Amino acid sequence: MIQVMAERLEGYPFFPMKSDFEDGFTKVFNPSDGKNYTLNKSASGILHYCDGLHSISEIRDRISKATGIEADEVYHKLQSILTEIYDKGLIWIKEDRLEKQPVSPPITCYWDLSTLCNLSCKHCAVEGGDVKTDELDTKECLNVVNQLASLGELSLVLSGGEPLLRKDFFEIARYAKFRGMDLQLATNATVLDARKAREIKRLDMSVQVSLDGSNPEIHDAFRGKKGAFKAALRGISFLRKERVPFTIGFVVNKSNMHDMEAAAQLAVQLGAENFRVISYVSYGRGKSFQELEPTPQEFKWIAEKIVEMKKSLEIPVTEAEFEFCLKPGMGSDITDDQHFGCGGALGSFSITANGDVLPCSFFEGIRCENVREYPLAWIWENSPLFNYFRDLKSKDIKGSCKNCQWFLQCNGSCPAANFAYGKMLRPHVHCWIAEENK
């Protein structure tokens, strides 16, 4: 226990949460556990220095100088407070000082146009349903499109909620196409009709349709509405009639993992070009159904099943999370400066329905910039949050990853799944190798 505590108290803490300061106390909402915290004056004073630029020793010295309290006494109290807020997932700690990293223009933007949705899917990160009162209006969305176009050649993925429920969806999509963007649509397909399918075809838009089972019982239960499966198949029929290319997106979880192969066969019958397996992450509404998230050993079974499916399925299947671990790795010759994480903030980013700009939509709710306050180009280049993700390195991960023969292939994989558990810089919660090496 002492060793773990000592490890936590080395490095450079970073406070990424939204907070309100009032009468010396700080109120913090942690989106990873959905809880509100009130931090006392001592903790509030420490948070001021948790910007990734001050080491814990430097924070100790600054507080000691400001208060006149001996450094050793400050350090003991600092250790206690930081350990408590670290255990709650309110701060992240890097090994080295945060440094500004150069970055190329983004490749992909994932834009959740609205939280409005006609389903109530158990995994939904944005908790789609009712529309939020502060969502970007049409004029603001068109302005965002202009800013996206200024970033260079970009693939724009329009999602939600159910994006087709926005009355101005095609106005926004047409303008994005006019500005030269490659368009993709993520939809549950239940509100697709002949007119919408024709417009999608005219925009040369590729589509991902959510289908989480080979039958109504499985799909409807997961999507939270009876009749969703039938409506989705009807929507797909309109896409097929217009010869719009589409992928089936399958969110694998405990309720449907044994139906995965049957769902893939259905995707072939429906004329899908690809079958995409998406890992369940317990975030947003997904946190309320955490029991659906597969265990690491179940993810291993899923990966093995996908390898088997690829041998006979007539369409491509995306690689499962950690599927490469079923083959020999590239070795454990890992430098301390090997990048940790996915492509979020490096080649892609997300925009929420209210204009928050994030490395990934699974981090919705943390402190970030908004398009109403900052230009997109400035955010991409200068956001402290984005730079934090770009500066994460293998040395920042606590645990067994540093000696893993597959790290050079996974780079620690998706940080969002860990964030959902308040364990950002730990071995991945879905990784069976990490579980076996505990």
Side-chain angles (χ1 to χ4, degrees):
M1 180 67 180
I2 294 175
Q3 182 178 359
V4 172
M5 185 174 291
E7 179 187 8
R8 290 176 181 172
L9 291 177
E10 295 174 357
Y12 293 73
F14 182 78
F15 176 61
M17 305 300 170
K18 292 180 178 179
S19 59
D20 291 314
F21 187 75
E22 184 177 339
D23 296 328
F25 292 83
T26 301
K27 295 181 179 179
V28 181
F29 174 71
N30 184 357
S32 68
D33 63 13
K35 295 180 180 179
N36 290 289
Y37 296 93
T38 299
L39 306 184
N40 62 23
K41 294 183 179 181
S42 296
S44 299
I46 291 170
L47 289 182
H48 174 73
Y49 298 108
C50 293
D51 55 5
L53 302 176
H54 297 85
S55 70
I56 292 172
S57 295
E58 290 171 337
I59 296 173
R60 174 202 61 197
D61 293 343
R62 282 175 174 263
I63 294 174
S64 177
K65 183 177 180 179
T67 62
I69 302 173
E70 289 292 328
D72 287 347
E73 184 179 346
V74 171
Y75 187 78
H76 178 77
K77 182 68 173 178
L78 182 63
Q79 175 179 312
S80 175
I81 293 173
L82 285 178
T83 298
E84 183 177 358
I85 60 179
Y86 178 88
D87 286 343
K88 289 180 171 63
L90 299 180
I91 58 171
W92 307 331
I93 300 179
K94 276 175 48 48
E95 288 286 315
D96 295 333
R97 187 179 190 274
L98 185 62
E99 298 289 344
K100 180 70 182 294
Q101 296 298 321
V103 64
S104 300
I107 300 169
T108 305
C109 172
Y110 300 91
W111 189 359
D112 295 331
L113 282 174
S114 178
T115 58
L116 182 63
C117 192
N118 57 331
L119 303 182
S120 184
C121 307
K122 291 181 177 178
H123 72 297
C124 186
V126 303
E127 300 186 77
D130 295 332
V131 65
K132 290 183 177 178
T133 56
D134 62 344
E135 291 188 355
L136 300 177
D137 61 26
T138 305
K139 184 178 180 181
E140 290 174 314
C141 286
L142 297 180
N143 180 45
V144 168
V145 170
N146 283 330
Q147 294 188 57
L148 288 170
S150 71
L151 296 177
E153 293 185 14
L154 194 72
S155 177
L156 179 59
V157 182
L158 301 173
S159 184
E162 174 46 56
L164 291 175
L165 289 176
R166 270 196 74 134
K167 294 180 180 179
D168 57 0
F169 172 81
F170 285 109
E171 182 180 355
I172 296 167
R174 282 192 294 267
Y175 190 58
K177 189 67 177 180
F178 170 74
R179 292 306 310 266
M181 292 175 216
D182 174 59
L183 297 181
Q184 300 176 47
L185 167 66
T187 176
N188 62 40
T190 60
V191 296
L192 270 171
D193 55 28
R195 182 189 65 81
K196 292 185 178 74
R198 284 194 298 270
E199 186 67 24
I200 288 169
K201 177 68 174 179
R202 280 194 290 268
L203 291 169
D204 193 27
M205 189 183 297
S206 59
V207 179
Q208 177 178 290
V209 175
S210 301
L211 203 62
D212 302 305
S214 64
N215 58 64
E217 290 73 25
I218 295 175
H219 179 80
D220 291 0
F222 188 68
R223 292 280 158 177
K225 186 174 182 179
K226 188 174 182 180
F229 182 82
K230 183 178 179 181
L233 295 193
R234 182 173 180 270
I236 289 172
S237 71
F238 292 116
L239 295 177
R240 293 187 66 179
K241 185 176 180 181
E242 297 296 332
R243 297 184 180 179
V244 173
F246 67 94
T247 291
I248 291 298
F250 180 88
V251 180
V252 66
N253 61 86
K254 288 189 177 187
S255 72
N256 68 1
M257 55 188 284
H258 295 288
D259 187 53
M260 181 170 61
E261 186 170 13
Q265 292 291 352
L266 176 60
V268 174
Q269 296 169 22
L270 292 172
E273 291 194 346
N274 300 279
F275 185 72
R276 182 184 175 215
V277 179
I278 305 164
S279 295
Y280 187 100
V281 174
S282 295
Y283 196 70
R285 189 177 293 125
K287 181 67 72 174
S288 299
F289 299 95
Q290 197 168 340
E291 69 278 4
L292 291 176
E293 188 168 11
T295 65
Q297 288 302 317
E298 286 171 330
F299 273 113
K300 182 179 182 180
W301 180 91
I302 290 165
E304 291 171 337
K305 188 66 177 177
I306 287 176
V307 170
E308 180 184 322
M309 287 164 52
K310 288 179 178 179
K311 296 175 182 177
S312 58
L313 203 67
E314 298 171 28
I315 59 175
V317 183
T318 55
E319 185 168 295
E321 197 171 26
F322 303 110
E323 182 181 322
F324 46 77
C325 292
L326 299 175
K327 298 178 181 179
M330 296 172 63
S332 55
D333 187 18
I334 305 167
T335 67
D336 283 344
D337 291 332
Q338 175 76 23
H339 177 67
F340 160 62
C342 62
L346 288 174
S348 64
F349 67 98
S350 295
I351 304 175
T352 68
N354 73 342
D356 282 346
V357 185
L358 297 160
C360 165
S361 60
F362 281 103
F363 288 93
E364 183 167 359
I366 65 175
R367 180 161 47 90
C368 63
E369 291 77 24
N370 188 284
V371 296
R372 287 177 170 136
E373 300 169 353
Y374 296 89
L376 262 179
W378 186 94
I379 296 172
W380 179 253
E381 292 282 346
N382 299 293
S383 166
L385 179 65
F386 276 49
N387 190 59
Y388 190 88
F389 277 79
R390 292 168 189 153
D391 198 41
L392 287 174
K393 299 179 176 66
S394 56
K395 68 173 76 173
D396 297 319
I397 308 176
K398 314 298 187 291
S400 60
C401 290
K402 298 174 186 178
N403 301 313
C404 178
Q405 64 173 302
W406 291 280
F407 184 82
L408 293 173
Q409 290 156 275
C410 85
N411 294 320
S413 194
C414 169
N418 278 7
F419 175 66
Y421 284 88
K423 302 175 181 179
M424 254 282 290
L425 303 179
R426 294 284 177 174
H428 199 280
V429 294
H430 294 168
C431 178
W432 63 85
I433 301 296
E435 183 191 51
E436 293 167 358
N437 290 334
K438 280 182 179 178

